[in-house]
Amino acid sequence: MRVTEQSARDPKSPGTVSDLSERDLIARIQQRLPAPPDWVLVGIGDDAAVVVPERNRVEVLSVDCVVDGVHFDRAFVPPDAIGHRALAVNLSDLAAMGATPRLALVSMALPGALPIADFDGIADGLSALAARHATHIIGGNLTRTPGPLSIDITVMGTVKRRQALTRGGARAGDELYVTGSIGGAAEGLHILRSTHHDPRSVIRDPQSALVERYLRPAPRVRVGTLLARNRLASACIDLSDGLAAAARQIAEASAIAVALEADALPIDPAARDALAARQVDPVAEALTEGDDYELLFAVRPRLRRRLEAVLRHADVAVTRIGSCRSGSGATVATTSGAGDAAPLPAGYGHFR
Protein backbone atom coordinates (compact mmCIF):
# COMPACT_ATOMS: atom_id res chain seq x y z
CA MET A 1 0.00 0.00 0.00
CA ARG A 2 1.24 3.49 -0.82
CA VAL A 3 -0.08 6.70 0.74
CA THR A 4 0.85 10.38 0.43
CA GLU A 5 0.36 13.34 2.77
CA GLN A 6 -2.18 14.89 0.40
CA SER A 7 -4.29 11.74 0.16
CA ALA A 8 -4.33 11.32 3.93
CA ARG A 9 -6.87 14.16 4.19
CA ASP A 10 -10.39 12.92 4.90
CA PRO A 11 -12.36 13.68 1.70
CA LYS A 12 -15.58 15.64 2.14
CA SER A 13 -18.66 13.44 2.15
CA PRO A 14 -17.69 10.90 -0.53
CA GLY A 15 -20.51 8.63 -1.68
CA THR A 16 -18.88 5.52 -3.15
CA VAL A 17 -15.36 4.15 -3.53
CA SER A 18 -15.35 5.34 -7.15
CA ASP A 19 -15.38 8.92 -5.80
CA LEU A 20 -11.96 8.43 -4.19
CA SER A 21 -8.49 7.47 -5.34
CA GLU A 22 -6.72 4.31 -4.28
CA ARG A 23 -4.46 6.41 -2.06
CA ASP A 24 -7.45 8.03 -0.38
CA LEU A 25 -8.93 4.62 0.38
CA ILE A 26 -5.61 3.33 1.75
CA ALA A 27 -5.41 6.39 3.98
CA ARG A 28 -8.84 5.56 5.42
CA ILE A 29 -7.53 2.13 6.41
CA GLN A 30 -4.23 3.42 7.73
CA GLN A 31 -5.84 5.95 10.06
CA ARG A 32 -7.57 3.05 11.85
CA LEU A 33 -4.34 1.17 12.55
CA PRO A 34 -1.92 1.58 15.46
CA ALA A 35 1.66 2.64 14.88
CA PRO A 36 3.72 -0.28 13.53
CA PRO A 37 6.04 -2.07 15.97
CA ASP A 38 9.82 -1.76 15.76
CA TRP A 39 10.13 -5.06 13.89
CA VAL A 40 8.29 -3.56 10.90
CA LEU A 41 11.13 -1.79 9.07
CA VAL A 42 8.96 -0.77 6.08
CA GLY A 43 5.18 -0.89 6.26
CA ILE A 44 2.29 0.80 4.46
CA GLY A 45 3.60 3.38 2.02
CA ASP A 46 6.07 1.45 -0.12
CA ASP A 47 5.99 -1.25 -2.78
CA ALA A 48 6.43 -4.03 -0.22
CA ALA A 49 6.74 -4.47 3.51
CA VAL A 50 10.00 -5.35 5.27
CA VAL A 51 9.97 -7.08 8.66
CA VAL A 52 12.53 -8.51 11.06
CA PRO A 53 12.07 -12.26 11.68
CA GLU A 54 11.30 -13.36 15.21
CA ARG A 55 14.24 -15.15 16.80
CA ASN A 56 14.10 -18.90 17.41
CA ARG A 57 10.69 -19.30 15.77
CA VAL A 58 9.46 -20.48 12.40
CA GLU A 59 6.92 -18.61 10.32
CA VAL A 60 3.45 -19.99 9.58
CA LEU A 61 1.63 -18.47 6.59
CA SER A 62 -1.93 -18.80 5.37
CA VAL A 63 -4.15 -17.07 2.82
CA ASP A 64 -7.91 -17.05 2.41
CA CYS A 65 -10.43 -15.16 0.30
CA VAL A 66 -14.06 -14.25 1.05
CA VAL A 67 -16.41 -13.30 -1.79
CA ASP A 68 -19.80 -11.61 -1.68
CA GLY A 69 -22.49 -14.12 -2.65
CA VAL A 70 -20.30 -17.09 -1.73
CA HIS A 71 -18.99 -16.58 1.81
CA PHE A 72 -21.27 -13.73 2.90
CA ASP A 73 -24.20 -11.72 1.58
CA ARG A 74 -24.17 -7.94 1.86
CA ALA A 75 -27.98 -8.02 1.97
CA PHE A 76 -27.84 -9.09 5.61
CA VAL A 77 -24.20 -9.08 6.73
CA PRO A 78 -23.15 -5.64 8.05
CA PRO A 79 -19.84 -4.19 6.78
CA ASP A 80 -17.93 -4.53 10.06
CA ALA A 81 -18.87 -8.24 10.20
CA ILE A 82 -17.56 -8.69 6.64
CA GLY A 83 -14.18 -7.30 7.72
CA HIS A 84 -14.22 -9.34 10.94
CA ARG A 85 -15.01 -12.60 9.13
CA ALA A 86 -12.40 -11.97 6.43
CA LEU A 87 -9.64 -11.86 9.04
CA ALA A 88 -11.15 -14.40 11.46
CA VAL A 89 -11.03 -17.24 8.92
CA ASN A 90 -7.29 -16.66 8.51
CA LEU A 91 -6.59 -16.37 12.24
CA SER A 92 -8.46 -19.65 12.71
CA ASP A 93 -5.98 -21.34 10.35
CA LEU A 94 -3.09 -20.01 12.44
CA ALA A 95 -4.82 -21.26 15.59
CA ALA A 96 -5.06 -24.74 14.08
CA MET A 97 -1.29 -24.68 13.57
CA GLY A 98 -0.61 -23.47 17.11
CA ALA A 99 0.86 -20.22 15.78
CA THR A 100 0.76 -16.80 17.41
CA PRO A 101 -0.51 -14.23 14.85
CA ARG A 102 1.98 -11.54 13.86
CA LEU A 103 1.04 -9.71 10.66
CA ALA A 104 -1.48 -9.54 7.82
CA LEU A 105 -1.57 -8.34 4.21
CA VAL A 106 -5.01 -7.25 2.99
CA SER A 107 -6.12 -7.22 -0.66
CA MET A 108 -9.58 -5.96 -1.63
CA ALA A 109 -11.37 -6.00 -4.98
CA LEU A 110 -14.03 -3.31 -4.65
CA PRO A 111 -17.11 -2.66 -6.82
CA GLY A 112 -17.16 0.99 -7.83
CA ALA A 113 -20.64 1.43 -6.35
CA LEU A 114 -19.60 0.23 -2.88
CA PRO A 115 -20.59 3.01 -0.43
CA ILE A 116 -17.72 4.62 1.42
CA ALA A 117 -19.63 4.01 4.67
CA ASP A 118 -19.49 0.27 3.91
CA PHE A 119 -15.79 0.45 3.06
CA ASP A 120 -15.14 2.19 6.37
CA GLY A 121 -17.20 -0.43 8.20
CA ILE A 122 -15.18 -3.25 6.64
CA ALA A 123 -11.97 -1.49 7.69
CA ASP A 124 -13.35 -1.07 11.22
CA GLY A 125 -14.12 -4.79 11.51
CA LEU A 126 -10.69 -5.75 10.19
CA SER A 127 -8.75 -3.39 12.43
CA ALA A 128 -10.73 -4.23 15.58
CA LEU A 129 -10.12 -7.98 15.30
CA ALA A 130 -6.49 -7.42 14.31
CA ALA A 131 -5.95 -5.32 17.44
CA ARG A 132 -7.61 -7.97 19.61
CA HIS A 133 -5.06 -10.54 18.44
CA ALA A 134 -2.03 -8.24 18.22
CA THR A 135 -1.95 -8.71 14.45
CA HIS A 136 -0.39 -5.84 12.51
CA ILE A 137 -1.77 -5.00 9.05
CA ILE A 138 1.38 -3.93 7.21
CA GLY A 139 0.30 -3.67 3.59
CA GLY A 140 -1.76 -5.12 0.77
CA ASN A 141 -3.57 -3.96 -2.35
CA LEU A 142 -6.79 -2.29 -3.49
CA THR A 143 -8.32 -2.66 -6.93
CA ARG A 144 -11.64 -1.99 -8.62
CA THR A 145 -13.72 -4.87 -9.94
CA PRO A 146 -16.86 -5.21 -12.08
CA GLY A 147 -17.61 -8.34 -10.10
CA PRO A 148 -18.56 -8.90 -6.46
CA LEU A 149 -16.71 -7.54 -3.46
CA SER A 150 -13.88 -9.86 -2.45
CA ILE A 151 -11.31 -9.66 0.33
CA ASP A 152 -8.13 -11.70 0.19
CA ILE A 153 -5.96 -11.79 3.32
CA THR A 154 -2.55 -13.34 3.91
CA VAL A 155 -1.56 -13.82 7.55
CA MET A 156 1.72 -14.78 9.13
CA GLY A 157 2.24 -16.15 12.62
CA THR A 158 5.13 -17.76 14.46
CA VAL A 159 5.70 -20.89 16.51
CA LYS A 160 8.72 -22.77 17.84
CA ARG A 161 10.05 -25.24 15.30
CA ARG A 162 8.99 -28.45 17.07
CA GLN A 163 5.67 -27.08 18.33
CA ALA A 164 3.79 -26.48 15.06
CA LEU A 165 0.55 -28.45 14.88
CA THR A 166 -0.57 -30.28 11.74
CA ARG A 167 -3.40 -32.54 10.61
CA GLY A 168 -1.07 -35.53 10.58
CA GLY A 169 0.36 -37.11 13.70
CA ALA A 170 -2.70 -38.65 15.36
CA ARG A 171 -2.28 -42.28 16.37
CA ALA A 172 -4.60 -45.13 17.24
CA GLY A 173 -5.76 -44.65 20.83
CA ASP A 174 -5.66 -40.85 20.73
CA GLU A 175 -8.75 -39.06 22.01
CA LEU A 176 -10.53 -36.40 19.95
CA TYR A 177 -11.67 -33.08 21.39
CA VAL A 178 -13.49 -30.05 20.02
CA THR A 179 -13.56 -26.51 21.37
CA GLY A 180 -16.72 -24.58 22.17
CA SER A 181 -19.99 -25.66 20.56
CA ILE A 182 -20.96 -26.53 17.00
CA GLY A 183 -23.96 -25.87 14.80
CA GLY A 184 -24.62 -22.34 16.04
CA ALA A 185 -23.11 -20.44 13.14
CA ALA A 186 -25.00 -22.45 10.51
CA GLU A 187 -28.27 -21.85 12.32
CA GLY A 188 -27.43 -18.15 12.59
CA LEU A 189 -26.93 -18.06 8.83
CA HIS A 190 -30.28 -19.83 8.35
CA ILE A 191 -31.98 -17.17 10.46
CA LEU A 192 -30.41 -14.38 8.45
CA ARG A 193 -31.28 -15.98 5.11
CA SER A 194 -34.85 -16.79 6.06
CA THR A 195 -35.74 -13.50 7.74
CA HIS A 196 -33.28 -10.93 6.35
CA HIS A 197 -33.68 -9.20 9.69
CA ASP A 198 -31.14 -6.53 10.53
CA PRO A 199 -28.50 -8.05 12.86
CA ARG A 200 -27.73 -4.55 14.14
CA SER A 201 -31.17 -4.21 15.72
CA VAL A 202 -32.03 -7.69 17.01
CA ILE A 203 -33.09 -8.21 20.60
CA ARG A 204 -30.60 -10.17 22.67
CA ASP A 205 -32.31 -13.54 22.64
CA PRO A 206 -30.98 -17.02 21.83
CA GLN A 207 -31.57 -16.44 18.12
CA SER A 208 -29.51 -13.24 18.10
CA ALA A 209 -26.66 -15.13 19.79
CA LEU A 210 -26.76 -17.63 16.91
CA VAL A 211 -26.66 -14.79 14.40
CA GLU A 212 -23.62 -13.38 16.20
CA ARG A 213 -21.88 -16.76 15.98
CA TYR A 214 -22.12 -16.54 12.20
CA LEU A 215 -21.39 -12.84 11.80
CA ARG A 216 -18.40 -12.56 14.12
CA PRO A 217 -16.76 -15.96 14.74
CA ALA A 218 -14.13 -16.16 17.46
CA PRO A 219 -10.90 -17.77 16.19
CA ARG A 220 -9.53 -20.05 18.93
CA VAL A 221 -6.04 -18.59 18.91
CA ARG A 222 -5.56 -18.92 22.68
CA VAL A 223 -6.40 -22.63 22.67
CA GLY A 224 -4.19 -23.29 19.66
CA THR A 225 -1.15 -21.62 21.19
CA LEU A 226 -1.67 -23.42 24.52
CA LEU A 227 -1.88 -26.79 22.75
CA ALA A 228 1.32 -26.04 20.83
CA ARG A 229 3.37 -24.60 23.70
CA ASN A 230 2.52 -27.54 25.94
CA ARG A 231 2.86 -30.15 23.16
CA LEU A 232 -0.57 -31.53 23.93
CA ALA A 233 -2.12 -32.10 20.50
CA SER A 234 -0.88 -34.77 18.12
CA ALA A 235 -3.07 -33.35 15.32
CA CYS A 236 -5.27 -30.28 14.93
CA ILE A 237 -7.58 -28.67 12.35
CA ASP A 238 -10.21 -25.92 12.36
CA LEU A 239 -13.87 -26.49 11.51
CA SER A 240 -14.28 -24.01 8.67
CA ASP A 241 -15.92 -26.65 6.48
CA GLY A 242 -17.68 -28.60 9.22
CA LEU A 243 -16.81 -31.28 11.77
CA ALA A 244 -17.30 -34.22 9.38
CA ALA A 245 -14.89 -32.77 6.82
CA ALA A 246 -12.33 -31.97 9.53
CA ALA A 247 -12.50 -35.48 11.02
CA ARG A 248 -12.06 -37.03 7.59
CA GLN A 249 -9.01 -34.85 6.92
CA ILE A 250 -7.34 -35.80 10.20
CA ALA A 251 -8.02 -39.48 9.45
CA GLU A 252 -6.52 -39.19 5.97
CA ALA A 253 -3.50 -37.09 6.96
CA SER A 254 -2.69 -39.29 9.96
CA ALA A 255 -3.45 -42.60 8.21
CA ILE A 256 -5.79 -43.73 10.98
CA ALA A 257 -9.52 -44.23 11.51
CA VAL A 258 -11.62 -41.65 13.35
CA ALA A 259 -14.72 -42.59 15.37
CA LEU A 260 -17.00 -39.83 16.65
CA GLU A 261 -19.72 -40.23 19.30
CA ALA A 262 -22.92 -38.47 18.30
CA ASP A 263 -24.22 -38.21 21.86
CA ALA A 264 -21.04 -36.41 22.93
CA LEU A 265 -21.15 -33.62 20.32
CA PRO A 266 -21.44 -30.19 22.00
CA ILE A 267 -24.26 -28.91 19.78
CA ASP A 268 -25.27 -25.34 20.61
CA PRO A 269 -28.47 -25.65 22.74
CA ALA A 270 -30.26 -22.80 20.95
CA ALA A 271 -29.36 -24.31 17.58
CA ARG A 272 -30.56 -27.76 18.71
CA ASP A 273 -33.93 -26.30 19.76
CA ALA A 274 -34.31 -24.38 16.50
CA LEU A 275 -33.43 -27.43 14.41
CA ALA A 276 -35.82 -29.65 16.37
CA ALA A 277 -38.61 -27.12 15.77
CA ARG A 278 -37.94 -27.43 12.02
CA GLN A 279 -37.75 -31.24 12.33
CA VAL A 280 -34.11 -31.24 11.21
CA ASP A 281 -31.66 -33.76 12.68
CA PRO A 282 -29.29 -31.63 14.83
CA VAL A 283 -26.48 -34.20 14.68
CA ALA A 284 -26.47 -34.40 10.88
CA GLU A 285 -26.62 -30.61 10.64
CA ALA A 286 -23.81 -30.05 13.16
CA LEU A 287 -21.59 -32.57 11.41
CA THR A 288 -21.95 -31.16 7.90
CA GLU A 289 -22.38 -27.41 8.28
CA GLY A 290 -19.38 -25.09 8.48
CA ASP A 291 -18.55 -21.59 9.76
CA ASP A 292 -18.05 -22.63 13.41
CA TYR A 293 -14.25 -22.04 13.32
CA GLU A 294 -13.75 -24.23 16.37
CA LEU A 295 -10.74 -26.55 16.68
CA LEU A 296 -10.78 -30.35 16.44
CA PHE A 297 -7.66 -31.94 17.93
CA ALA A 298 -6.25 -35.29 19.00
CA VAL A 299 -4.55 -35.93 22.36
CA ARG A 300 -2.68 -38.95 23.74
CA PRO A 301 -4.73 -40.53 26.60
CA ARG A 302 -1.81 -40.16 29.04
CA LEU A 303 -1.98 -36.37 28.58
CA ARG A 304 -5.66 -36.04 29.55
CA ARG A 305 -5.07 -34.58 33.02
CA ARG A 306 -2.39 -32.24 31.73
CA LEU A 307 -4.78 -31.07 29.02
CA GLU A 308 -7.45 -30.31 31.61
CA ALA A 309 -4.95 -28.37 33.73
CA VAL A 310 -3.58 -26.32 30.84
CA LEU A 311 -6.95 -25.46 29.33
CA ARG A 312 -8.14 -23.99 32.60
CA HIS A 313 -6.31 -20.94 31.25
CA ALA A 314 -8.17 -21.02 27.93
CA ASP A 315 -11.14 -18.84 26.99
CA VAL A 316 -13.44 -21.69 25.94
CA ALA A 317 -14.48 -25.17 27.08
CA VAL A 318 -13.42 -28.35 25.26
CA THR A 319 -15.34 -31.62 24.89
CA ARG A 320 -14.14 -35.15 24.20
CA ILE A 321 -16.13 -36.37 21.18
CA GLY A 322 -14.41 -39.53 19.97
CA SER A 323 -11.20 -41.41 19.40
CA CYS A 324 -8.66 -42.55 16.82
CA ARG A 325 -8.33 -46.20 15.87
CA SER A 326 -6.33 -48.44 13.60
CA GLY A 327 -7.54 -48.57 10.04
CA SER A 328 -8.96 -45.87 7.82
CA GLY A 329 -12.07 -43.77 7.34
CA ALA A 330 -14.29 -41.77 9.67
CA THR A 331 -17.50 -42.88 11.39
CA VAL A 332 -20.08 -41.59 13.85
CA ALA A 333 -22.11 -43.62 16.35
CA THR A 334 -24.19 -43.08 19.47
CA THR A 335 -22.01 -43.18 22.58
CA SER A 336 -23.69 -46.32 23.87
CA GLY A 337 -24.01 -48.06 20.50
CA ALA A 338 -21.35 -50.55 19.58
CA GLY A 339 -22.69 -51.71 16.24
CA ASP A 340 -24.48 -48.72 14.76
CA ALA A 341 -21.49 -46.74 13.50
CA ALA A 342 -22.06 -45.08 10.12
CA PRO A 343 -19.64 -43.32 7.76
CA LEU A 344 -19.42 -39.61 8.39
CA PRO A 345 -21.32 -37.53 5.83
CA ALA A 346 -19.44 -35.25 3.48
CA GLY A 347 -18.82 -31.74 4.74
CA TYR A 348 -18.98 -28.46 2.86
CA GLY A 349 -17.42 -28.52 -0.62
CA HIS A 350 -16.26 -25.36 -2.40
CA PHE A 351 -16.72 -26.78 -5.91
CA ARG A 352 -19.83 -28.91 -5.68
Side-chain angles (χ1 to χ4, degrees):
M1 291 182 176
R2 183 173 290 168
V3 61
T4 65
E5 181 178 353
Q6 180 179 1
S7 67
R9 296 195 306 269
D10 191 9
K12 295 181 179 179
S13 304
T16 66
V17 296
S18 61
D19 296 326
L20 298 180
S21 70
E22 180 183 0
R23 294 179 180 181
D24 290 327
L25 294 172
I26 292 170
R28 297 181 84 90
I29 296 176
Q30 191 174 19
Q31 68 189 13
R32 289 167 165 79
L33 304 177
D38 292 342
W39 50 263
V40 177
L41 302 183
V42 180
I44 296 174
D46 219 308
D47 290 312
V50 181
V51 301
V52 178
E54 195 167 359
R55 290 187 61 188
N56 301 320
R57 295 173 75 86
V58 294
E59 296 172 348
V60 180
L61 297 99
S62 182
V63 62
D64 218 324
C65 181
V66 295
V67 180
D68 186 16
V70 178
H71 304 96
F72 63 89
D73 191 327
R74 288 174 55 208
F76 51 75
V77 178
D80 72 294
I82 295 173
H84 177 108
R85 285 178 55 82
L87 181 58
V89 300
N90 284 275
L91 294 180
S92 184
D93 285 334
L94 292 185
M97 305 296 291
T100 300
R102 197 176 193 217
L103 60 86
L105 299 170
V106 179
S107 179
M108 298 191 203
L110 307 171
L114 182 74
I116 284 297
D118 286 8
F119 176 84
D120 288 347
I122 293 170
D124 286 338
L126 275 168
S127 59
L129 186 62
R132 199 174 308 160
H133 291 281
T135 303
H136 296 275
I137 298 174
I138 62 169
N141 181 63
L142 297 179
T143 189
R144 184 168 174 170
T145 178
L149 167 68
S150 65
I151 306 174
D152 199 315
I153 298 181
T154 298
V155 290
M156 188 271 279
T158 65
V159 66
K160 288 188 176 180
R161 182 182 297 272
R162 291 183 175 84
Q163 293 181 3
L165 305 176
T166 68
R167 300 173 183 181
R171 296 197 305 231
D174 286 0
E175 299 174 325
L176 290 168
Y177 294 82
V178 69
T179 61
S181 61
I182 58 177
E187 187 58 25
L189 176 58
H190 172 80
I191 293 168
L192 289 169
R193 281 175 171 166
S194 60
T195 64
H196 274 218
H197 74 85
D198 186 348
R200 291 162 289 194
S201 62
V202 295
I203 300 173
R204 286 296 167 187
D205 59 15
Q207 282 204 333
S208 68
L210 295 175
V211 167
E212 189 69 10
R213 284 289 307 274
Y214 170 75
L215 292 178
R216 298 174 184 85
R220 302 304 185 187
V221 173
R222 176 67 173 161
V223 174
T225 55
L226 285 172
L227 292 174
R229 291 171 187 169
N230 292 277
R231 301 188 180 186
L232 287 168
S234 55
C236 188
I237 188 174
D238 82 330
L239 303 190
S240 57
D241 296 332
L243 176 58
R248 286 179 176 276
Q249 289 177 73
I250 282 184
E252 181 178 348
S254 299
I256 46 90
V258 164
L260 302 186
E261 301 165 0
D263 294 349
L265 301 182
I267 300 173
D268 184 289
R272 185 187 288 275
D273 291 344
L275 290 166
R278 301 205 320 270
Q279 298 184 325
V280 176
D281 181 1
V283 172
E285 196 79 354
L287 284 172
T288 57
E289 296 301 319
D291 286 317
D292 283 316
Y293 297 101
E294 300 292 350
L295 297 180
L296 172 68
F297 57 96
V299 178
R300 311 279 192 246
R302 60 183 173 79
L303 297 177
R304 186 184 306 161
R305 290 187 179 178
R306 188 176 165 201
L307 174 71
E308 293 171 354
V310 168
L311 292 189
R312 291 193 190 105
H313 304 287
D315 52 1
V316 65
V318 300
T319 304
R320 182 190 177 281
I321 62 167
S323 60
C324 300
R325 301 174 182 178
S326 298
S328 62
T331 59
V332 60
T334 59
T335 303
S336 58
D340 60 349
L344 279 176
Y348 174 79
H350 293 275
F351 298 99
R352 56 178 172 78

